[in-house]
Amino acid sequence: MSEHVGLRQRRAVLEDEWARRVPELKTVRRVLPGGAALRREVTESWVRSLDSVDPQRDSAPAAEGGAVDPRWSGSLLRGPVTALADEMRSIADDAGFVAAVTDESGTILWTCGGRVMRRRAEQVNFAPGGRWDEPAMGTNALSLALRTGRPATVFSAEHLVAALHGWVCYCAPIHAPDGRILGVLDLSTTWDRSHPLAMSTVRTLANSIEAGLRTAPGALPRQSSPASQMRLTCLGSEEVVRDGAPLRLRPRQLEILTLLALEPDGYSPDRLREALYGDRPVTASTFKAEVSHLRRALGGAVATRRYALTTAVTCDAVEVLRALERGDTETAVRHYRGPLLPDSEAPGILAWREHLEVAVREAVLASTRPEHALRFGEYAPYDAEVHEHALTVLGTHDIRRGIAAGRLRTALRA
């Protein structure tokens, strides 16, 4: 009983904080390009973060194990970042920024900047060893970039933690040649020094680091040649990146690409048409036109007789399936960031969506590691069995029990 009372009290405090901060966020958005509308990714991150992060904390927690020098010494990012260090120091000094590079967990490994900005950054532990992932520090640009795999900006009071309201942060994820996120590059400064070119600058620098990874001795092998390197994100969000640049596809073309990535042996024309349209009366010319548009967008990388990709594509959904086949629940849960193409109603996508969700869920329920149930529970807010499992495997005094208990209560009320 005492545990549930404490949880209710804590949630009441958090709800009051949320209500207090929303007008502040609307005020902040009015000074940003694009108007006052709150961004979905920021509000959703707030909701997730309020379960585990105190908005009144004064700095980021330190990474487990303390010193990060050994981790940085062995990092694949060290060589390419060192090669660009002088350029980043010049940018940071001239514009009044502090630059930082994290690993895939959100732990800062390297920083540079002017003395004044670095001192301010160190006050909130924006320094080597500081943890800036969402469970540790709530809504911030680093955590959003790590979570979504896309560049992110968080301005002033959009940060969950009040100590960061004086800051604006611009981030871009850094991908290995095989598509994995190795870390994040961040440029941060005080909100009054925000600059419209900062995001393009951080993206350019991140692209340069990725280019250095591809050419460095001992670099990870590429999934395809530089001319056809492609990454498809289709779990929880939708993005296609080709040769380091976003590739704009219509929803139907994205569905076709996803289906072909999930079934490398390809589809017969009739089977692919059924997977896209089911029993809907769609003409053969309309179907063939969609495939032709995708083929042109991919530079001809779709076979003509039996529809299949002729170039390698790194896909997060495929990575989940491969991890499950290896019995690697940790990797599967890390890559699973929500349902497959959430807005799609194509029969083939719906079938794969259910398959992936059930497969990951079963692996989570079979796991004795609480972080697996907690992570999957973010994407299954009404799955009471998952939240009950989390409580079962969490230790009696584990502070994360409050997260699982809160989710279970929400699920049972639904």
Side-chain angles (χ1 to χ4, degrees):
M1 176 67 72
S2 61
E3 179 181 359
H4 292 295
V5 171
L7 180 61
R8 285 199 297 271
Q9 292 173 339
R10 182 169 176 271
R11 281 193 169 275
V13 171
L14 294 178
E15 288 168 1
D16 289 344
E17 173 69 14
W18 172 258
R20 182 189 68 78
R21 191 81 66 84
V22 167
E24 185 178 3
L25 286 169
K26 290 179 179 177
T27 300
V28 168
R29 291 301 297 163
R30 281 196 288 271
V31 305
L32 292 176
L38 291 174
R39 292 180 292 152
R40 177 180 175 181
E41 62 265 31
V42 171
T43 55
E44 288 181 349
S45 176
W46 263 66
V47 172
R48 291 190 302 268
S49 301
L50 284 169
D51 276 330
S52 59
V53 179
D54 180 0
Q56 302 306 316
R57 72 172 311 147
D58 57 6
S59 63
E64 295 181 8
V68 295
D69 287 347
R71 199 182 306 184
W72 180 233
S73 297
S75 172
L76 291 171
L77 297 175
R78 184 182 179 186
V81 169
T82 301
L84 286 173
D86 289 343
E87 181 178 353
M88 286 194 280
R89 287 192 182 95
S90 177
I91 292 171
D93 288 343
D94 292 345
F97 280 73
V98 59
V101 173
T102 78
D103 64 9
E104 71 281 1
S105 73
T107 299
I108 295 178
L109 301 180
W110 177 91
T111 61
C112 73
R115 183 165 53 89
V116 174
M117 288 304 300
R118 289 187 68 179
R119 187 184 304 120
R120 294 191 64 168
E122 288 167 357
Q123 291 174 357
V124 292
N125 202 19
F126 192 80
R131 279 187 54 199
W132 287 79
D133 56 298
E134 192 174 82
M137 203 55 180
T139 307
N140 65 85
L142 292 94
S143 66
L144 285 180
L146 279 173
R147 187 179 185 88
T148 65
R150 300 190 300 273
T153 301
V154 173
F155 185 91
S156 186
E158 288 184 321
H159 291 94
L160 175 76
V161 174
L164 305 179
H165 287 189
W167 291 84
V168 57
C169 303
Y170 307 89
C171 289
I174 304 169
H175 295 90
D178 63 1
R180 292 184 296 112
I181 295 178
L182 296 180
V184 167
L185 173 65
D186 174 279
L187 288 177
S188 293
T189 188
T190 53
W191 70 265
D192 55 315
R193 291 184 179 181
S194 62
H195 197 285
L197 295 180
M199 178 53 76
S200 62
T201 299
V202 78
R203 292 183 70 158
T204 298
L205 290 170
N207 286 340
S208 297
I209 294 172
E210 290 177 346
L213 287 167
R214 291 193 292 270
T215 59
L220 293 173
R222 298 180 179 88
Q223 291 292 327
S224 60
S225 65
S228 60
Q229 187 176 8
M230 196 179 311
R231 184 175 69 256
L232 167 62
T233 300
C234 53
L235 292 176
S237 60
E238 305 167 0
E239 184 183 47
V240 182
V241 175
R242 185 184 182 198
D243 300 335
L247 182 64
R248 305 300 178 191
L249 298 177
R250 295 202 299 252
R252 189 65 73 192
Q253 295 159 18
L254 187 61
E255 290 169 345
I256 297 171
L257 178 59
T258 300
L259 289 169
L260 296 182
L262 285 165
E263 297 206 25
D265 291 337
Y267 285 77
S268 67
D270 288 344
R271 183 165 171 257
L272 181 58
R273 183 177 173 181
E274 182 180 358
L276 290 172
Y277 304 107
D279 295 331
R280 291 175 54 198
V282 175
T283 64
S285 60
T286 297
F287 164 62
K288 290 179 180 179
E290 293 287 5
V291 177
S292 296
H293 288 318
L294 177 63
R295 184 182 292 114
R296 284 197 295 271
L298 301 185
V302 178
T304 54
R305 292 185 178 274
R306 181 174 179 84
Y307 296 132
L309 294 172
T310 59
T311 187
V313 175
T314 302
C315 174
D316 54 355
V318 174
E319 289 170 338
V320 168
L321 291 171
R322 289 175 177 169
L324 291 173
E325 290 170 358
R326 299 192 304 268
D328 183 358
T329 303
E330 174 70 23
T331 299
V333 172
R334 185 172 72 249
H335 285 297
Y336 187 85
R337 294 176 175 173
L340 183 74
L341 297 185
D343 297 326
S344 173
E345 296 183 359
I349 297 296
L350 293 176
W352 271 111
R353 183 187 300 161
E354 182 179 8
H355 175 78
L356 283 159
E357 181 177 352
V358 170
V360 176
R361 183 179 185 272
E362 290 301 311
V364 166
L365 292 176
S367 171
T368 58
R369 293 180 58 182
E371 56 267 25
H372 294 161
L374 290 170
R375 181 70 179 266
F376 184 76
E378 294 179 21
Y379 310 109
Y382 302 111
D383 194 328
E385 187 177 359
V386 168
H387 308 319
E388 288 174 345
H389 179 67
L391 285 171
T392 298
V393 295
L394 281 164
T396 305
H397 302 292
D398 195 313
I399 61 173
R400 294 174 295 176
R401 291 184 63 85
I403 299 174
R407 291 172 178 170
L408 177 59
R409 184 177 181 183
T410 300
L412 294 176
R413 283 180 170 180

